[in-house]
């Protein structure tokens, strides 16, 4: 079993406040302090330090958190396997493009057997990475950027990332510049999503910023984005799979925006989820998009 003090450490590491950690753990604040000091004594290093009134993690705390998350994850996995030996349960996350448009066939094939089940979370990249760090997912399929030094990962697929508009829009089939967006309505996903981050990074690398776009509409649902494109409300940027099956929507290219991006399996460092991934995605990748 994982030392109870490790769970206290991870809670404090996440909230960075002794009082809030105590409330979450339903402990007294002195008890939290005592457990952290006990860990520091056992490992011979400081884990947290104050700079004035602000609490900071030390480099040793960062290292311990990597090992501790793996230990807690492995214990949770062991408990699931011991309590439900007849059922294979996998907890996976997927960003919205991947979850809505790419992996349905693989998930349905996996679930054809009655001794298998899935807990599926479809969310933006930022939320999925938080769930990974809280040991609430076995692995996640994410689009776009993430801190590759913080997680283990492997390639799932590559997919075209494009501008999208109605077929009769002036941008249809063209290559446009960032400056051409100054009088356009651009429909974007919410902050924290992979598709939005890719688009905003491309703008920054071109010396442009989103506040120079004519109008920005924020929508966290692809079906609604597609509806707005079909009504010619504006343009958008996403993976080409989003517009598949809609003949009245076509693509265009934004200068400086990479047209092929990666989808990656992402999981905690040191955690072995290779067999899980192979069970759900035996080919290692989905159909081309």
């Amino acid at each position: 079993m994982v030392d109870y003090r490790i769970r206290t450490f991870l809670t404090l590491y996440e909230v960075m406040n002794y009082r809030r950690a105590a409330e979450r753990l339903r402990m007294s604040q002195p008890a939290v302090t005592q457990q952290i000091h006990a860990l520091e004594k056992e490992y011979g290093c400081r884990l947290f330090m104050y700079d004035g009134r602000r609490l900071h993690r030390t480099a040793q705390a960062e290292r311990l958190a990597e090992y501790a998350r793996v230990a807690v994850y492995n214990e949770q996995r062991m408990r699931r396997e011991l309590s439900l030996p007849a059922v294979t349960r996998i907890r996976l996350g997927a960003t919205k493009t991947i979850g809505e448009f790419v992996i349905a066939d693989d998930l349905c094939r996996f679930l054809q057997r009655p001794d298998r089940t899935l807990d599926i979370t479809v969310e933006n990249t930022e939320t999925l990475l938080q769930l990974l760090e809280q040991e609430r997912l076995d692995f996640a399929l994410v689009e776009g950027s993430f801190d590759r030094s913080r997680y283990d990962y492997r390639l799932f697929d590559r997919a075209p990332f494009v501008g999208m508009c109605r077929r009769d829009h002036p941008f249809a089939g063209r290559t446009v510049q960032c400056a051409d967006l100054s009088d356009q309505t651009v429909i974007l996903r919410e902050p924290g999503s992979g598709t939005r981050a890719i688009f905003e990074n491309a703008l920054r690398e071109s010396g442009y910023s989103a506040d120079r776009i004519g109008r920005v509409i924020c929508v966290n649902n692809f079906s609604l984005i597609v509806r707005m494109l079909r009504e010619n409300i504006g343009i958008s940027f996403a993976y080409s799979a989003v517009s598949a099956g809609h003949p009245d929507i076509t693509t265009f290219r934004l200068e400086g925006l990479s047209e092929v991006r990666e989808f990656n399996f992402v999981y905690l460092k040191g955690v072995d989820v290779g067999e899980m991934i192979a069970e759900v995605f035996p080919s290692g990748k989905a159909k081309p998009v």
Side-chain angles (χ1 to χ4, degrees):
M1 292 179 60
V2 174
D3 190 320
Y4 64 92
R5 296 173 300 178
I6 289 295
R7 299 182 187 277
T8 301
F9 162 77
L10 286 174
T11 302
L12 180 60
Y13 181 92
E14 180 183 346
V15 303
M16 291 302 292
N17 181 283
Y18 277 93
R19 177 183 57 79
R20 284 191 287 143
E23 290 173 352
R24 181 176 293 189
L25 293 165
R26 298 182 179 179
M27 297 168 55
S28 68
Q29 187 170 329
V32 172
T33 302
Q34 184 179 27
Q35 289 186 21
I36 296 301
H37 286 169
L39 281 178
E40 290 177 330
K41 183 177 180 180
E42 182 168 339
Y43 294 127
C45 62
R46 292 292 299 276
L47 298 173
F48 300 95
M49 299 182 69
Y50 278 101
D51 180 5
R53 299 182 64 182
R54 187 176 179 185
L55 190 65
H56 291 273
R57 308 177 183 101
T58 66
Q60 290 87 347
E62 299 285 358
R63 292 294 303 276
L64 178 58
E66 286 187 19
Y67 294 116
R69 289 193 193 102
V70 173
V72 172
Y73 170 85
N74 284 333
E75 184 187 29
Q76 291 176 344
R77 182 172 173 180
M78 177 192 69
R79 289 179 181 273
R80 294 200 311 271
E81 291 175 355
L82 291 176
S83 63
L84 294 171
V87 177
T88 298
R89 178 182 296 273
I90 296 176
R91 306 169 304 166
L92 69 89
T95 49
K96 293 188 178 182
T97 302
I98 298 172
E100 292 183 33
F101 301 102
V102 179
I103 60 174
D105 288 348
D106 290 286
L107 302 187
C108 290
R109 178 205 52 77
F110 175 82
L111 292 169
Q112 291 298 316
R113 281 178 40 178
D115 60 339
R116 294 171 167 178
T117 190
L118 294 172
D119 295 339
I120 305 165
T121 302
V122 178
E123 262 294 355
N124 64 43
T125 300
E126 182 178 314
T127 299
L128 293 178
L129 295 179
Q130 290 173 354
L131 293 174
L132 272 179
E133 298 213 357
Q134 295 166 8
E135 300 90 34
R136 293 165 62 185
L137 295 176
D138 296 310
F139 62 89
L141 269 165
V142 305
E143 60 202 71
S145 302
F146 58 93
D147 185 349
R148 299 187 178 218
S149 67
R150 192 176 183 88
Y151 306 97
D152 283 338
Y153 61 93
R154 79 182 215 200
L155 181 68
F156 172 58
D157 206 353
R158 292 185 174 89
F161 190 88
V162 295
M164 298 186 299
C165 61
R166 202 165 80 169
R167 193 166 290 278
D168 58 356
H169 190 280
F171 284 6
R174 292 178 49 207
T175 296
V176 302
Q177 308 294 319
C178 289
D180 294 326
L181 304 179
S182 62
D183 60 351
Q184 295 294 316
T185 291
V186 180
I187 308 163
L188 297 176
R189 286 275 311 285
E190 75 281 4
S193 71
T195 52
R196 182 169 183 142
I198 290 169
F199 172 70
E200 291 180 339
N201 287 339
L203 290 185
R204 281 193 293 271
E205 290 171 3
S206 299
Y208 207 78
S209 63
D211 58 12
R212 295 168 64 185
I213 296 171
R215 177 172 64 157
V216 174
I217 300 173
C218 182
V219 180
N220 73 343
N221 179 275
F222 278 119
S223 295
L224 186 53
I225 291 175
V226 169
R227 174 63 185 274
M228 290 180 176
L229 293 175
R230 298 180 70 184
E231 295 293 332
N232 213 17
I233 301 297
I235 62 175
S236 191
F237 295 86
Y239 292 94
S240 58
V242 172
S243 62
H246 300 282
D248 50 346
I249 297 176
T250 191
T251 63
F252 64 92
R253 180 174 181 268
L254 179 67
E255 188 70 41
L257 181 65
S258 174
E259 292 187 311
V260 178
R261 310 293 299 196
E262 292 183 354
F263 296 161
N264 283 289
F265 298 105
V266 181
Y267 39 96
L268 292 176
K269 277 186 173 293
V271 167
D272 182 7
V273 294
E275 290 186 7
M276 287 186 178
I277 291 173
E279 279 195 86
V280 185
F281 305 98
S283 64
K285 64 189 296 184
K287 296 179 181 178
V289 294

